[in-house]
Amino acid sequence: MADSLDLEVVTPERELVHEQVAEVQVPGKDGYMGVLPGHAPLLSELGTGALAYVTGGRRHVLAVHGGFLEVIEDHVRVLADAAERAEEIDVERARVSQRRAQQQASAMADGADALAALARAQTRIAVAEQTQR
Amino acid sequence: MPSLIDIRRRIRSVKNTQQITKAMKMVSAAKLRRAQDRVIAARPYAAALGKVLANVAAAAAVDPDAGANPLLAQRPAQKILLVLVTADKGLAGAFNSNLIKGAQRFIAERQEASVSLELIGRKGRDFFRKRGARIAGEQINLAGRPTFQDIAPIARKAMEMYRTAEIDAVHITYNEFKSVVAQKLMQVQILPVQLPVQIAPVDYIFEQPPAEMLDALLPRYVEVMFYRALLESVAAEHAARMTAMEAATSNAAEMIDKLTLYMNRVRQASITKEIIEVVSGAAAE
């Protein structure tokens, strides 16, 4: 059994990550999942959240917004609807959209969409802050 | 015989045109490189999505609780939506006319069905608008910097029309980027979705029921097909324009050579004439 995972993170527009990693944490639709080498074949939908992986003893974090996950024979394929590396995130913009989404959500103008936007903004902020520390 | 000045003026004008075509060729070459990068960047996602979809569809097919997905429903094709991806600009050789001809052939082959058009790109829109074709929608200025966010709503609209049985099939016509000198006219059926073939069945753990995942995967798959068509079309457009402008530049060079030769002949003839006049004038004295 291999002691590493082949992690691929792709969005419709580009490939973000393609490397050997020791472990992955994925924001599944129904909660976070950890994947280690030797995992059974798995298919899942993704939610919005932070995707973390460890390679060479270092932890990297990405913001992932919806999509699909496939685990097969130590290949982890993350088909994200959208994803960003921590350093690409514009924290100021995320805070602005967080405030806007909060207002909309409390006004119940556009309930589900506003909550989804809020989750995206919060994920971005959390990912950016985790990496800065 | 035209005067020397006329020919010189003509040469200057051809030279100016040549400079423009040369510049257009360079611009297209740069844009082509970027468009090609985008095509390549979009490939891993499309390939992975196809594989996942094949697996999920196979699992959903054996799931007794799963109802049929509306995007897979086969109906006799009475009303067809044809998505035509053309360029916004011309001067790209036969790029746009091939697409328009392809779309007209598609409509002519389906006399019994009623075909409506979703037109992406100004050239196709102008053509079919003038001819009063049935137009379901039009999108222009998408090709500059195509993003998934821009194209996805068009795909969603087509899917919605299909779900409500407003249309029975969706086809797309676009130019695929084969190489810098060759584009291939593609005519692909998008809806009902033709599932990619599964190679080896795998016994997956499904975090969500397969049918539920299929419901989420299929729309994304359709969106990606639209996105891919647009990316291919943009790359093909720049390649076609580059080739056309390359040909125009070398034609201009050829023309300048011919005109220069002609100009020299005319000048020589006038000099010869003057000499004859001087000589015969001297002999007459």
Side-chain angles (χ1 to χ4, degrees), chain B residues 119-131:
Chain B
L119 301 164
I120 301 174
R122 184 173 277 124
K123 284 286 161 183
R125 180 197 71 166
D126 290 354
F127 182 91
F128 283 104
R129 228 196 213 174
K130 238 177 267 166
R131 276 151 193 82

Side-chain angles (χ1 to χ4, degrees), chain A residues 19-37:
Chain A
E19 57 184 319
Q20 298 292 320
V21 301
E23 69 168 283
V24 190
Q25 261 177 22
V26 194
K29 195 184 174 192
D30 307 321
Y32 277 84
M33 289 181 282
V35 180
L36 289 168

Side-chain angles (χ1 to χ4, degrees), chain B residues 81 117-119 135-139 151-164 166-167 170 191 226:
Chain B
L81 179 72
L117 294 162
E118 172 82 41
L119 301 164
I135 296 170
E138 46 185 58
Q139 312 289 331
I151 191 85
I154 306 171
R156 268 180 234 134
K157 193 178 95 183
M159 283 186 273
E160 192 48 44
M161 286 168 81
Y162 185 78
R163 269 198 211 100
T164 55
E166 204 177 311
I167 44 172
V170 178
L191 289 171
F226 271 79

Side-chain angles (χ1 to χ4, degrees), chain A residues 41-64:
Chain A
L42 171 91
L43 281 168
S44 173
E45 284 181 56
L46 293 178
T48 293
L51 180 146
Y53 61 95
V54 178
T55 177
R58 278 202 58 197
R59 201 175 117 96
H60 302 262
V61 192
L62 305 173
V64 173

Side-chain angles (χ1 to χ4, degrees), chain B residues 11 34 111 154 156 191 255 267:
Chain B
I11 291 176
R34 249 174 294 149
Q111 295 271 319
I154 306 171
R156 268 180 234 134
L191 289 171
M255 201 162 174
R267 196 190 56 209

